[in-house]
Amino acid sequence: MIAVIIRIALRYGAGVLVARGLLGADDASTFSADPDIQMALETGLGLAIAGAAEWWHLLARRFGWEH
């Protein structure tokens, strides 16, 4: 399910970049349809969320928020 959401987000993001002229139409279709790019984005997003959660936990322990 997350891959579908990522694919939709990539298509909208690529559309915005094409509309602004920052990315060509061919590059945008490759960007939004390539499963390797989707996998890399899913992995990066997962790592970012996990890092944010760990950072929040560290702050909670340091400042006594976990009780």
Side-chain angles (χ1 to χ4, degrees), residues 15-39:
V16 169
L17 291 175
V18 168
R20 291 180 162 241
L22 300 175
L23 192 64
D26 293 336
D27 296 330
S29 66
T30 302
F31 183 72
S32 64
D34 189 4
D36 291 333
I37 292 175
Q38 292 173 8
M39 185 176 60

Side-chain angles (χ1 to χ4, degrees), residues 42-65:
E42 288 175 8
T43 303
L45 186 61
L47 290 173
I49 291 171
E54 288 297 323
W55 179 250
W56 189 260
H57 179 69
L58 177 72
L59 289 176
R61 290 191 71 175
R62 183 166 291 172
F63 293 114
W65 299 338

